[in-house]
Amino acid sequence: MLLTPLRRSLLRAWLYVGALVALVLFAPSAYWQAVHGWPFVAIMRVDLGGESLALTPLAFIRQQVAFVGPLAAPIWIAGLWRLSVRPPLPAVRVFPIAYAVMAPTVFAMHGKAYYLTSIYPMLLAGGALTVDGWVAVAGYRWAAVGAVAVGGVLTASLVLPILPPATMQRTPARSERRPSRQRLRRAPRVCCLSTWPTCSAGARWRNT
């Protein structure tokens, strides 16, 4: 951001007002973390320590496509291009800059692939502008909207907590190779925040 004209935004008071509002919204979560021993910090230590199951570059990319839906992938990729090269407003160029920085950072730090999902609405909006300019016939535009919507419905069960865990284990879809039993024994147990007081980040997998 400092390398672009967007650095002028740092002189605007509304930026810091927004940061204050974000801090207020984050305060309840920070309080819960503090009361329960900062579980998210412990989880991040596991990720940074290389103990989590790392994705290959191809698996990481596949998950990004799956989160939004394969049919929507051309839309957000077009939005990434549009907001980078021909943004409707100079300020929105911050989104492709953020994506270019955060995507390799999350991958290199063995972060969860879904950490990037919050940026896709902006990229989809940029892609919609691109499609609107490319497709002149209104019927084709609605066809594109329908294809994206249908694709989202079909992939929702793979990326959203809709199905029970037992059902998900029986699905053939996999975003990465299934780890070996020996590797699972070395990996830390995944603890839900709701059960954190009784689940230690250092717990190990058991042979079951």
mmCIF file of all heavy atoms in Angstrom, residues 9 14 27 30 36 60 64 71 80-81 98 110 126 128 148 161 179 187 191 196 204 207:
data_model
loop_
_atom_site.group_PDB
_atom_site.id
_atom_site.type_symbol
_atom_site.label_atom_id
_atom_site.label_comp_id
_atom_site.label_asym_id
_atom_site.label_seq_id
_atom_site.Cartn_x
_atom_site.Cartn_y
_atom_site.Cartn_z
ATOM 1 N N SER A 9 -4.224 7.625 1.868
ATOM 2 C CA SER A 9 -5.322 7.264 2.768
ATOM 3 C C SER A 9 -4.886 7.283 4.222
ATOM 4 O O SER A 9 -5.723 7.430 5.122
ATOM 5 C CB SER A 9 -5.857 5.879 2.402
ATOM 6 O OG SER A 9 -6.330 5.848 1.072
ATOM 7 N N TRP A 14 -10.894 9.090 8.702
ATOM 8 C CA TRP A 14 -11.857 7.988 8.670
ATOM 9 C C TRP A 14 -11.172 6.624 8.713
ATOM 10 O O TRP A 14 -11.773 5.649 9.168
ATOM 11 C CB TRP A 14 -12.723 8.096 7.411
ATOM 12 C CG TRP A 14 -13.760 9.170 7.508
ATOM 13 C CD1 TRP A 14 -13.800 10.332 6.796
ATOM 14 C CD2 TRP A 14 -14.888 9.193 8.388
ATOM 15 N NE1 TRP A 14 -14.883 11.083 7.165
ATOM 16 C CE2 TRP A 14 -15.578 10.409 8.140
ATOM 17 C CE3 TRP A 14 -15.378 8.322 9.354
ATOM 18 C CZ2 TRP A 14 -16.735 10.748 8.832
ATOM 19 C CZ3 TRP A 14 -16.533 8.660 10.044
ATOM 20 C CH2 TRP A 14 -17.200 9.859 9.781
ATOM 21 N N ALA A 27 -13.240 -6.758 20.329
ATOM 22 C CA ALA A 27 -13.022 -6.838 21.769
ATOM 23 C C ALA A 27 -13.653 -8.069 22.423
ATOM 24 O O ALA A 27 -12.998 -8.726 23.251
ATOM 25 C CB ALA A 27 -13.530 -5.555 22.442
ATOM 26 N N ALA A 30 -11.457 -11.022 21.690
ATOM 27 C CA ALA A 30 -10.189 -10.925 22.416
ATOM 28 C C ALA A 30 -10.381 -11.270 23.887
ATOM 29 O O ALA A 30 -9.527 -11.938 24.495
ATOM 30 C CB ALA A 30 -9.614 -9.518 22.268
ATOM 31 N N HIS A 36 -9.609 -17.858 28.086
ATOM 32 C CA HIS A 36 -9.359 -19.279 27.829
ATOM 33 C C HIS A 36 -7.908 -19.584 27.462
ATOM 34 O O HIS A 36 -7.617 -20.637 26.891
ATOM 35 C CB HIS A 36 -10.294 -19.788 26.729
ATOM 36 C CG HIS A 36 -11.742 -19.803 27.132
ATOM 37 N ND1 HIS A 36 -12.547 -18.684 27.053
ATOM 38 C CD2 HIS A 36 -12.519 -20.797 27.643
ATOM 39 C CE1 HIS A 36 -13.763 -18.993 27.483
ATOM 40 N NE2 HIS A 36 -13.773 -20.254 27.846
ATOM 41 N N PHE A 60 -3.492 -26.209 -2.483
ATOM 42 C CA PHE A 60 -3.878 -24.894 -1.982
ATOM 43 C C PHE A 60 -4.713 -24.155 -3.022
ATOM 44 O O PHE A 60 -5.747 -23.553 -2.707
ATOM 45 C CB PHE A 60 -2.626 -24.095 -1.631
ATOM 46 C CG PHE A 60 -2.902 -22.764 -0.988
ATOM 47 C CD1 PHE A 60 -3.149 -22.682 0.376
ATOM 48 C CD2 PHE A 60 -2.903 -21.610 -1.738
ATOM 49 C CE1 PHE A 60 -3.405 -21.458 0.977
ATOM 50 C CE2 PHE A 60 -3.163 -20.384 -1.148
ATOM 51 C CZ PHE A 60 -3.404 -20.299 0.207
ATOM 52 N N GLN A 64 -8.804 -22.937 -3.059
ATOM 53 C CA GLN A 64 -9.294 -21.592 -3.364
ATOM 54 C C GLN A 64 -10.405 -21.646 -4.403
ATOM 55 O O GLN A 64 -11.403 -20.917 -4.321
ATOM 56 C CB GLN A 64 -8.147 -20.699 -3.859
ATOM 57 C CG GLN A 64 -7.007 -20.515 -2.883
ATOM 58 C CD GLN A 64 -7.474 -20.085 -1.507
ATOM 59 O OE1 GLN A 64 -8.223 -19.119 -1.372
ATOM 60 N NE2 GLN A 64 -7.040 -20.791 -0.481
ATOM 61 N N LEU A 71 -17.211 -22.889 -11.121
ATOM 62 C CA LEU A 71 -17.812 -22.059 -12.159
ATOM 63 C C LEU A 71 -17.617 -20.568 -11.893
ATOM 64 O O LEU A 71 -17.697 -19.755 -12.817
ATOM 65 C CB LEU A 71 -19.304 -22.380 -12.300
ATOM 66 C CG LEU A 71 -19.637 -23.801 -12.763
ATOM 67 C CD1 LEU A 71 -21.137 -24.004 -12.820
ATOM 68 C CD2 LEU A 71 -19.011 -24.074 -14.130
ATOM 69 N N LEU A 80 -9.723 -10.132 -10.302
ATOM 70 C CA LEU A 80 -8.355 -9.870 -9.873
ATOM 71 C C LEU A 80 -7.603 -9.082 -10.934
ATOM 72 O O LEU A 80 -6.855 -8.144 -10.613
ATOM 73 C CB LEU A 80 -7.661 -11.207 -9.598
ATOM 74 C CG LEU A 80 -6.296 -11.175 -8.925
ATOM 75 C CD1 LEU A 80 -6.391 -10.560 -7.542
ATOM 76 C CD2 LEU A 80 -5.711 -12.581 -8.832
ATOM 77 N N TRP A 81 -7.831 -9.454 -12.203
ATOM 78 C CA TRP A 81 -7.197 -8.715 -13.301
ATOM 79 C C TRP A 81 -7.766 -7.311 -13.416
ATOM 80 O O TRP A 81 -7.022 -6.331 -13.544
ATOM 81 C CB TRP A 81 -7.404 -9.477 -14.612
ATOM 82 C CG TRP A 81 -7.002 -8.680 -15.815
ATOM 83 C CD1 TRP A 81 -5.742 -8.532 -16.331
ATOM 84 C CD2 TRP A 81 -7.860 -7.881 -16.643
ATOM 85 N NE1 TRP A 81 -5.764 -7.702 -17.431
ATOM 86 C CE2 TRP A 81 -7.051 -7.293 -17.637
ATOM 87 C CE3 TRP A 81 -9.232 -7.631 -16.642
ATOM 88 C CZ2 TRP A 81 -7.582 -6.460 -18.621
ATOM 89 C CZ3 TRP A 81 -9.765 -6.792 -17.620
ATOM 90 C CH2 TRP A 81 -8.937 -6.219 -18.589
ATOM 91 N N ALA A 98 -3.575 -6.788 -1.769
ATOM 92 C CA ALA A 98 -3.710 -7.610 -0.568
ATOM 93 C C ALA A 98 -3.702 -9.091 -0.915
ATOM 94 O O ALA A 98 -3.086 -9.899 -0.209
ATOM 95 C CB ALA A 98 -5.002 -7.244 0.167
ATOM 96 N N HIS A 110 1.816 -22.129 6.328
ATOM 97 C CA HIS A 110 0.970 -23.303 6.571
ATOM 98 C C HIS A 110 -0.364 -22.920 7.199
ATOM 99 O O HIS A 110 -0.925 -23.657 8.004
ATOM 100 C CB HIS A 110 1.680 -24.325 7.465
ATOM 101 C CG HIS A 110 3.007 -24.781 6.934
ATOM 102 N ND1 HIS A 110 3.126 -25.490 5.762
ATOM 103 C CD2 HIS A 110 4.267 -24.595 7.405
ATOM 104 C CE1 HIS A 110 4.406 -25.749 5.542
ATOM 105 N NE2 HIS A 110 5.118 -25.199 6.514
ATOM 106 N N GLY A 126 -15.472 -7.215 -8.826
ATOM 107 C CA GLY A 126 -14.655 -6.758 -9.947
ATOM 108 C C GLY A 126 -14.844 -7.621 -11.175
ATOM 109 O O GLY A 126 -14.880 -7.118 -12.304
ATOM 110 N N ALA A 128 -17.593 -9.211 -11.919
ATOM 111 C CA ALA A 128 -18.910 -8.899 -12.473
ATOM 112 C C ALA A 128 -18.839 -7.680 -13.387
ATOM 113 O O ALA A 128 -19.497 -7.637 -14.445
ATOM 114 C CB ALA A 128 -19.901 -8.660 -11.338
ATOM 115 N N VAL A 148 -23.000 -19.664 -11.995
ATOM 116 C CA VAL A 148 -22.252 -19.443 -10.754
ATOM 117 C C VAL A 148 -23.077 -19.875 -9.545
ATOM 118 O O VAL A 148 -22.570 -20.506 -8.607
ATOM 119 C CB VAL A 148 -21.839 -17.966 -10.641
ATOM 120 C CG1 VAL A 148 -21.248 -17.684 -9.263
ATOM 121 C CG2 VAL A 148 -20.843 -17.605 -11.736
ATOM 122 N N PRO A 161 -19.936 -26.075 6.702
ATOM 123 C CA PRO A 161 -20.270 -27.110 7.699
ATOM 124 C C PRO A 161 -21.750 -27.497 7.636
ATOM 125 O O PRO A 161 -22.515 -27.250 8.569
ATOM 126 C CB PRO A 161 -19.901 -26.438 9.021
ATOM 127 C CG PRO A 161 -20.103 -24.979 8.757
ATOM 128 C CD PRO A 161 -19.692 -24.761 7.326
ATOM 129 N N PRO A 179 -3.220 -38.226 4.861
ATOM 130 C CA PRO A 179 -1.943 -38.465 5.539
ATOM 131 C C PRO A 179 -1.854 -39.886 6.062
ATOM 132 O O PRO A 179 -2.849 -40.536 6.364
ATOM 133 C CB PRO A 179 -1.962 -37.451 6.680
ATOM 134 C CG PRO A 179 -3.407 -37.177 6.908
ATOM 135 C CD PRO A 179 -4.071 -37.287 5.570
ATOM 136 N N ALA A 187 0.925 -35.465 14.272
ATOM 137 C CA ALA A 187 0.225 -34.194 14.116
ATOM 138 C C ALA A 187 -0.556 -33.846 15.370
ATOM 139 O O ALA A 187 -1.048 -34.720 16.062
ATOM 140 C CB ALA A 187 -0.737 -34.272 12.923
ATOM 141 N N CYS A 191 -8.468 -28.947 17.840
ATOM 142 C CA CYS A 191 -9.364 -28.682 18.957
ATOM 143 C C CYS A 191 -10.373 -27.620 18.558
ATOM 144 O O CYS A 191 -9.995 -26.578 18.024
ATOM 145 C CB CYS A 191 -8.585 -28.195 20.176
ATOM 146 S SG CYS A 191 -7.340 -29.389 20.733
ATOM 147 N N TRP A 196 -12.213 -26.026 24.063
ATOM 148 C CA TRP A 196 -10.807 -25.742 24.333
ATOM 149 C C TRP A 196 -10.402 -26.000 25.774
ATOM 150 O O TRP A 196 -9.301 -26.505 26.035
ATOM 151 C CB TRP A 196 -10.494 -24.288 23.958
ATOM 152 C CG TRP A 196 -9.060 -23.958 24.210
ATOM 153 C CD1 TRP A 196 -8.524 -23.289 25.259
ATOM 154 C CD2 TRP A 196 -7.961 -24.313 23.371
ATOM 155 N NE1 TRP A 196 -7.159 -23.181 25.134
ATOM 156 C CE2 TRP A 196 -6.796 -23.810 23.977
ATOM 157 C CE3 TRP A 196 -7.851 -25.001 22.169
ATOM 158 C CZ2 TRP A 196 -5.538 -23.975 23.429
ATOM 159 C CZ3 TRP A 196 -6.602 -25.163 21.610
ATOM 160 C CH2 TRP A 196 -5.464 -24.659 22.248
ATOM 161 N N ARG A 204 -1.922 -35.415 21.324
ATOM 162 C CA ARG A 204 -1.526 -36.159 20.140
ATOM 163 C C ARG A 204 -2.647 -37.078 19.679
ATOM 164 O O ARG A 204 -3.544 -37.433 20.458
ATOM 165 C CB ARG A 204 -0.285 -36.999 20.442
ATOM 166 C CG ARG A 204 0.892 -36.157 20.894
ATOM 167 C CD ARG A 204 1.377 -35.239 19.779
ATOM 168 N NE ARG A 204 2.382 -34.317 20.233
ATOM 169 C CZ ARG A 204 2.963 -33.433 19.452
ATOM 170 N NH1 ARG A 204 2.649 -33.348 18.190
ATOM 171 N NH2 ARG A 204 3.873 -32.607 19.940
ATOM 172 N N ASN A 207 -4.224 -43.957 18.225
ATOM 173 C CA ASN A 207 -4.593 -45.015 17.288
ATOM 174 C C ASN A 207 -5.980 -45.512 17.622
ATOM 175 O O ASN A 207 -6.202 -46.124 18.659
ATOM 176 C CB ASN A 207 -3.586 -46.186 17.370
ATOM 177 C CG ASN A 207 -2.325 -45.878 16.631
ATOM 178 O OD1 ASN A 207 -2.351 -45.231 15.585
ATOM 179 N ND2 ASN A 207 -1.193 -46.311 17.157
#
